[in-house]
Amino acid sequence: MLTTIVRVFFGNMTTAVSRVAGLLTVFSLLGVSVAMGVDDSPSFDPNARQRIPPAFADGQTIELVYVHLVNPTAEAERNGRLREQVADAFTLRPGAAYNQFVAGTAVAAVRGLEFVEAVEERLYSVSGGRQIAVALLVTLRAPEKPTTPPASGALATGAFGDLPLLWQDDRSKLKVILNPAIGTYVDRDPWVGNPGAFVGQADQGRTTAVLEAGLELGIGGITRVGASHTYVYGAASYVGSTTLGRDIFSPETDRAHGEMEDLYAGILVARKGSDRSFNLSVGRQKFSLNRNLLIGHVLGASNGGDRAASNLSPRNAYDMTVDARFQIEDFTLQAWFADPNELPQSDSRTQYAGLNFRYNNNSTIDATLTLLTSPRSDTRYPLPDGTFLHREGLRAVNPRIRWTSAFNIPGLWLEGEWAHQWHQDFDMSADAYGAWIGYSVADVGWNPSVLYRYAVFTGDDPDTPTYERFDALTGGVQRDWAQGLGSIKMLINRNMRTHRIEVSVKPLRGMDLSVDYYYFTADTRNNLGGQPALGTYGDEYLGQEVTPTLQWMVNQNLYVQSLVSFVKPGRGLDQVLPEKTRTWKTFQLSFYWFF
């Protein structure tokens, strides 16, 4: 697969090398210069971050692994050695894809260490997005206590109350997947008062309210192969979803649907204490890249339409993925293929493939470089003269770097990301880029955080022969690159410039309360390829959005999300939409259970 991707991506070797060589040089020098002299053992407590359930982390890339000793010894040097042994036994490193079954076996290996009494795995989002921090909370064992933990789960104990865990020891884990969810969603003046223009439903009421539900049911597990350092793992699950009421997308009032969600198998080669590992997974599974700019897990599977539950989004797995990662020390080489699970009635038959290079020192630097191609797609790019270009043959390069504890200031982080797109068949030069600065305070009440980001997604200037409109592919995740809950439905992460400010606090353990503010302008007035109602903007000013959000991991089994969103349209929409525009108000309350 690696050879095929390189051949497809570098079809025009001279052109590709000229585009990438300079990026690699600058990118590498920047990563090395800021990494020098950095302590590689994090000193902050990730409990200051927002906790998320393991099912939400599946398919995301691990950015940080942190070991916390609940009852440390009196010797700092010994504590350091114990943390290193725990990290070695855990085997998962930054740059690896998180998988709850692989992680479960890694946690069991930690639990089997002679000095470990108990270990708890906690997962946190990083900087408000879906990058994953893994925290291992380790309780040290008294010397006289036994060291071999017994097998657990319903098959081991015969106790029905141990479900959904069927079996777990230091070699294997098998569990039932049972993830119900339910939510209620209300919109006032959806589509800024123009549902006829956006979704062809002029009779849609000014207020819509729906109840949505979903249920994922299946089985998954992992086991060690004999006495080797090889593990095989996989999962199979089925998702049912329903919508009661008429939502903002469809005239139908009651819908229900069911289909396969996960159906994948994988092989992991990882020896305890080794700085090398190999992980290959194939099949239907959740998948994303980096900060989800180009490839994200939310749009990897379409919800809504006949599948219902467009707000709850119970399905996230791609139709087919191949994800191969080889890790050595702080470096990860990833070769991947992804085929999104699109709605049958609008399936573009798009496929993506590429390479991902990552450096992460598990402390301050997380740097990635992605090379991407679309070898197949029916998606077209409309032009003002009525003709079309096509996505198939698209190329992209996407460097990103994050600097935590910047300038040795705890809590300060800087991040930059850029994606450049071109095409093998026509003159295309499109870009998306963003720059962040964020600061969080872990040692004061409520752990306040603030971030600012400026971002650009280029639009096409029809007066030039080059096609410049950026194609967002399946990118976009809430509080990452999904820019505004309501605005993204109209503006679609293309042809825009945005200012974003987010302020967040954590009033209770596991709870995050944030307020996001967006200010949107157009890169160009020409917006062909976006919503048909907005083929041309009347003005560069597109509007603003404010979204207060509450996320609360109540316990290991229940995750709650509640938000309110206000979209105020700007002159760019006012001057081209047929009806008077109004502020779009959205109210959502969702409950997710994980067993």
Side-chain angles (χ1 to χ4, degrees), residues 226-468:
S228 71
H229 303 294
T230 301
Y231 297 80
V232 292
Y233 63 93
S237 66
Y238 189 87
V239 166
S241 54
T242 185
T243 294
L244 301 179
R246 178 175 173 178
D247 65 22
I248 65 172
F249 298 99
S250 173
E252 302 295 330
T253 54
D254 299 318
R255 288 165 288 155
H257 181 77
E259 66 176 42
M260 290 297 298
E261 173 69 350
D262 287 340
L263 186 60
Y264 67 87
I267 181 170
L268 170 68
V269 182
R271 181 171 58 85
K272 185 186 299 184
S274 173
D275 57 9
R276 299 184 182 188
S277 66
F278 175 75
N279 193 348
L280 170 66
S281 59
V282 180
R284 293 176 63 97
Q285 60 185 319
K286 302 173 184 66
F287 179 76
S288 66
L289 290 177
N290 310 324
R291 201 187 250 276
N292 302 283
L293 174 60
L294 291 173
I295 302 294
H297 71 279
V298 172
L299 297 181
S302 299
N303 292 275
D306 293 339
R307 294 174 177 173
S310 59
N311 297 286
L312 194 63
S313 297
R315 56 184 56 80
N316 291 279
Y318 282 68
D319 253 346
M320 170 59 69
T321 63
V322 179
D323 186 3
R325 306 193 190 202
F326 175 69
Q327 291 189 259
I328 177 168
E329 296 183 342
D330 297 333
F331 295 90
T332 303
L333 170 61
Q334 177 186 9
W336 59 274
F337 167 86
D339 184 346
N341 179 16
E342 301 176 273
L343 289 172
Q345 59 267 35
S346 57
D347 192 347
S348 68
R349 302 193 316 124
T350 297
Q351 295 178 344
Y352 306 104
L355 301 173
N356 206 34
F357 305 90
R358 191 179 203 108
Y359 170 80
N360 186 306
N361 66 3
N362 199 33
S363 177
T364 57
I365 300 300
D366 182 39
T368 56
L369 178 66
T370 300
L371 307 177
L372 175 147
T373 182
S374 178
R376 191 185 82 176
S377 180
D378 292 339
T379 295
R380 301 190 297 178
Y381 305 142
L383 300 177
D385 62 3
T387 61
F388 295 89
L389 302 173
H390 51 275
R391 175 187 285 167
E392 185 172 313
L394 179 72
R395 305 286 192 260
V397 59
N398 173 207
R400 167 184 170 266
I401 188 165
R402 176 187 171 91
W403 185 14
T404 304
S405 297
F407 306 107
N408 290 321
I409 300 175
L412 177 66
W413 58 275
L414 305 174
E415 185 169 343
E417 183 164 13
W418 172 42
H420 176 69
Q421 296 177 336
W422 69 99
H423 205 280
Q424 68 174 15
D425 296 327
F426 56 85
D427 185 9
M428 178 180 184
S429 180
D431 297 281
Y433 52 89
W436 289 256
I437 180 171
Y439 184 71
S440 60
V441 185
D443 55 356
V444 302
W446 289 29
N447 308 125
S449 299
V450 62
L451 69 83
Y452 167 77
R453 182 187 69 200
Y454 177 68
V456 174
F457 289 70
T458 58
D460 179 49
D461 181 353
D463 295 328
T464 68
T466 302
Y467 187 74
E468 299 132 330

Side-chain angles (χ1 to χ4, degrees), residues 20-81:
V20 174
L23 292 175
L24 280 169
T25 303
V26 174
F27 195 66
S28 301
L29 290 175
L30 180 58
V32 171
S33 66
V34 296
M36 291 178 63
V38 170
D39 179 21
D40 62 359
S41 55
S43 58
F44 56 87
D45 183 354
N47 287 303
R49 304 167 186 260
Q50 170 59 26
R51 286 192 66 183
I52 59 174
F56 276 15
D58 271 342
Q60 302 297 312
T61 298
I62 298 171
E63 184 169 310
L64 173 71
V65 177
Y66 176 74
V67 178
H68 172 69
L69 300 182
V70 177
N71 54 339
T73 71
E75 303 174 29
E77 186 176 342
R78 184 185 176 199
N79 291 335
R81 291 196 302 269

Side-chain angles (χ1 to χ4, degrees), residues 186-216:
V186 179
D187 286 89
R188 176 67 173 172
D189 293 318
W191 307 109
V192 293
N194 283 259
F198 283 99
V199 290
Q201 298 175 39
D203 64 334
Q204 189 178 92
R206 289 191 61 186
T207 301
T208 64
V210 297
L211 180 69
E212 298 181 354
L215 174 63
E216 181 181 12

